[in-house]
Amino acid sequence: MNEIAPSLGLFVAFHLQPDGGFRRLEPAEAFGFDPGEGLLWLHLDRRSDAVQTWLFEHSGLDALDVEALLSEETRPRAYRPQQHSSLLVILRGVNSRPDGDAGDLVSIRLWVEKHRVLGFSSRPLAAVEDVAAMLGGEYAPRTAPELLAALATRMVARMEPALDALGDEVDALEEALDAGARVDTERLLQARRQAATLRRFVGPQREAFATIESLHLPWLGLTAEGEWREASNTLHRYIEELDASRERIAIIHDTLNARAVARANRTFYAVSVVAAFFVPLTFTTGLLGMNVGGIPGSESPWGFAGVLLFLVSWSVAQFLVFRRLRWL
């Protein structure tokens, strides 16, 4: 990986030559370098004051385009700025650098011209490192369309570990559900949030890919058509997997809710049956326990035994009736 002074806001600075060669640029020459017939590739820290000053004052970009490249809130998209034979692309992906969070969603903003590609992010990106490692190899990008396709392909490929981890988590939750074990609702909610977040950005990214393929820029030829097609197909498959994971999570959630409702209903049913069983007995004993004259059997030595016999008989009769009604 290119080690460039972070104070200048440079992560990557290369001159790609038409014959497949490349040269790493020094920080002092990178911003004003003329690539000639080759390609200048800079990847910059969008939060750097030096980068922002250069963009507004010396990059040749309109202020609105610069603001789009530096915006904090981004949605994947691609469009052709007015009065420019260029392309502005914003993509989202999972940054799986060793020093980062595997589920960290990051954005890359790309300004693509025939002889210049400017990339912007708030931190080093694994996808950019992957493409930089390709330089000098057989499949190294040589033109702006090829570099754009390579970056997009690596951004898409870097999503796979996160999607696999999400799928494994959903599998584990389904296995626990099928086995009748306790399902951790916090894990379920976390998986649901992750699936929703990924789906939120992957969907528009497919539209951005389709937009790039439909644009007719003079320098955007068909040299990277195969890579775009493969990246689009892979992204479509990821969207299907995310939709399937969201459906499976929803089924798990609905099943847990149904089981909780069933348990509550069984509890309420048991309480209701017990209450129905004892209400007549409680009423009878309460009636006979009133401290007034004329209570039947109050003067008889067999009164208590008679009451017990009546209560037992009534209980047996209730039991038989409840069994016949299938309440027990």
Side-chain angles (χ1 to χ4, degrees):
M1 182 61 190
N2 184 26
E3 296 293 340
I4 294 181
S7 60
L8 295 178
L10 277 166
F11 295 132
V12 159
F14 286 108
H15 176 216
L16 308 184
Q17 300 163 3
D19 60 358
F22 72 96
R23 184 169 73 88
R24 182 179 292 125
L25 302 177
E26 297 298 328
E29 61 177 333
F31 287 105
F33 186 79
D34 182 5
E37 292 300 317
L39 177 68
L40 173 64
W41 176 28
L42 302 179
H43 191 75
L44 310 168
D45 183 357
R46 65 179 179 84
R47 296 183 178 178
S48 168
D49 293 336
V51 169
Q52 294 181 15
T53 299
W54 176 77
L55 275 174
F56 280 108
E57 298 180 3
H58 306 291
S59 66
L61 276 62
D62 293 340
L64 291 178
D65 297 327
V66 173
E67 291 176 2
L69 291 169
L70 300 179
S71 175
E72 288 291 336
E73 297 296 329
T74 58
R75 181 179 184 270
R77 65 187 187 276
Y79 65 91
R80 180 179 178 178
Q82 294 182 354
Q83 301 177 351
H84 284 287
S85 180
S86 57
L87 186 64
L88 192 150
V89 182
I90 298 177
L91 302 176
R92 280 264 183 168
V94 177
N95 193 24
S96 50
R97 281 173 55 88
D99 57 348
D101 184 0
D104 184 17
L105 273 176
V106 296
S107 67
I108 180 173
R109 304 98 186 277
L110 298 167
W111 180 268
V112 186
E113 300 172 353
K114 183 176 181 179
H115 296 292
R116 183 174 67 165
V117 174
L118 304 178
F120 302 89
S121 62
S122 59
R123 73 202 83 172
L125 300 182
V128 174
E129 295 176 355
D130 292 342
V131 176
M134 295 168 56
L135 298 181
E138 181 179 358
Y139 301 102
R142 303 182 183 185
T143 64
E146 291 176 350
L147 179 58
L148 175 61
L151 288 169
T153 300
R154 292 312 305 165
M155 289 288 286
V156 171
R158 286 284 178 175
M159 296 180 186
E160 187 169 9
L163 294 176
D164 290 342
L166 177 61
D168 292 342
E169 181 70 6
V170 177
D171 289 340
L173 293 170
E174 285 181 334
E175 291 175 2
L177 185 69
D178 294 338
R182 179 180 177 274
V183 176
D184 189 343
T185 55
E186 184 60 33
R187 288 176 57 191
L188 181 64
L189 291 175
Q190 184 176 356
R192 192 170 190 174
R193 284 193 296 267
Q194 184 178 3
T197 301
L198 288 171
R199 183 62 176 84
R200 175 189 173 192
F201 291 107
V202 172
Q205 195 146 291
R206 179 177 58 180
E207 300 172 7
F209 281 19
T211 301
I212 294 172
E213 292 182 90
S214 66
L215 290 174
H216 300 287
L217 295 174
W219 50 267
L220 191 59
L222 301 178
T223 55
E225 182 180 358
E227 284 191 75
W228 277 116
R229 187 183 303 110
E230 183 62 27
S232 297
N233 291 337
T234 303
L235 198 61
H236 187 76
R237 177 170 60 85
Y238 288 168
I239 292 174
E240 292 177 344
E241 291 180 3
L242 279 172
D243 289 339
S245 295
R246 294 174 68 188
E247 289 293 331
R248 292 165 64 193
I249 291 172
I251 291 173
I252 295 173
H253 187 265
D254 292 343
T255 303
L256 291 176
N257 284 340
R259 290 184 178 180
V261 171
R263 286 194 299 269
N265 288 339
R266 287 195 298 268
T267 302
F268 294 150
Y269 179 79
V271 172
S272 299
V273 169
V274 170
F277 193 87
F278 282 99
V279 162
L281 304 181
T282 304
F283 173 77
T284 302
T285 56
L287 186 64
L288 295 177
M290 290 190 299
N291 192 20
V292 296
I295 298 298
S298 60
E299 303 296 334
S300 173
W302 303 100
F304 180 72
V307 171
L308 287 180
L309 180 61
F310 171 77
L311 295 178
V312 170
S313 301
W314 182 267
S315 299
V316 172
Q318 274 192 302
F319 178 79
L320 295 176
V321 171
F322 284 7
R323 285 296 297 271
R324 185 175 182 84
L325 295 175
R326 295 185 179 180
W327 292 0
L328 293 176

